[in-house]
Amino acid sequence: MTLRLQSAGREDLHILAEMNKQLIEDENSSNPMGIQELEERMREFFENNWGMDLIMKEDTIIGYALYQYQEDSFHRGEKQVYLRQYFIRREYRNMGYGIAGIELLRKTRFKDVRRIELDVLEKNPEGKRFWDRAGFRAYYTNMRLENS
């Protein structure tokens, strides 16, 4: 299975927004944004130096990763990365591409980082199982109370 990463550019913002919309649906997020709002948000990420990679199988985009390098909060001077969004298109799931994409990110973009952090919504048990298979472990629980 050969995957490659391709840095996303401004010309990819619309397709990133479309995949982000699918990610929101798949993880049962309460995010109400539409495609235009998501495209604008992707533009803001792009302009604020977030890493954006398309995950490619030959010439086909099968997913993407959105991440930001940060200073490790426990080990000053060392880097960590916050993986804000990671998505594999539905038709490419359960074939090993998700784990292969994470391994590719680890070996290329994240090879010099001490830690990779991400968030998984409680309403997304499938996502939790995926991240567990990828070797991630829960570190803390964030709790929320919505006021009406």
Side-chain angles (χ1 to χ4, degrees):
M1 167 179 330
T2 303
L3 296 181
R4 66 182 173 84
L5 299 175
Q6 178 176 307
S7 295
R10 290 184 185 279
E11 67 278 4
D12 301 309
L13 294 177
H14 188 75
I15 194 160
L16 287 163
E18 288 175 349
M19 288 189 288
N20 188 200
K21 183 67 172 166
Q22 289 179 34
L23 174 62
I24 288 167
E25 294 166 1
D26 293 347
E27 65 186 5
N28 296 310
S29 173
S30 58
N31 183 337
M33 290 180 168
I35 295 292
Q36 287 183 333
E37 293 165 302
L38 292 170
E39 187 171 344
E40 180 57 35
R41 185 171 74 159
M42 285 294 179
R43 181 173 288 105
E44 290 171 12
F45 286 133
F46 186 80
E47 291 170 356
N48 287 298
N49 297 315
W50 283 73
M52 293 181 169
D53 286 314
L54 301 173
I55 301 168
M56 308 290 294
K57 179 180 182 269
E58 297 169 3
D59 291 329
T60 302
I61 299 169
I62 69 163
Y64 77 99
L66 172 68
Y67 53 90
Q68 182 180 60
Y69 296 103
Q70 304 169 341
E71 183 177 45
D72 187 299
S73 55
F74 298 130
H75 302 93
R76 298 288 179 204
E78 295 188 31
K79 287 192 306 187
Q80 70 180 35
V81 67
Y82 174 58
L83 183 57
R84 182 177 176 122
Q85 296 172 10
Y86 182 78
F87 177 78
I88 298 294
R89 290 177 184 243
R90 294 168 183 147
E91 61 269 27
Y92 292 97
R93 292 186 192 159
N94 300 311
M95 298 178 193
Y97 294 117
I99 299 293
I102 290 297
E103 288 304 312
L104 182 58
L105 284 163
R106 288 181 67 196
K107 289 176 184 171
T108 57
R109 305 295 198 247
F110 305 161
K111 67 181 176 185
D112 295 326
V113 301
R114 182 176 185 90
R115 179 172 50 243
I116 303 166
E117 291 194 356
L118 54 86
D119 298 319
V120 183
L121 296 177
E122 282 294 314
K123 297 187 300 186
N124 185 8
E126 195 172 312
K128 284 182 171 185
R129 284 189 297 275
F130 169 78
W131 291 113
D132 187 59
R133 283 192 315 272
F136 288 75
R137 299 295 174 254
Y139 178 69
Y140 70 90
T141 301
N142 176 291
M143 299 180 79
R144 178 181 290 184
L145 173 65
E146 299 282 345
N147 283 330
S148 322

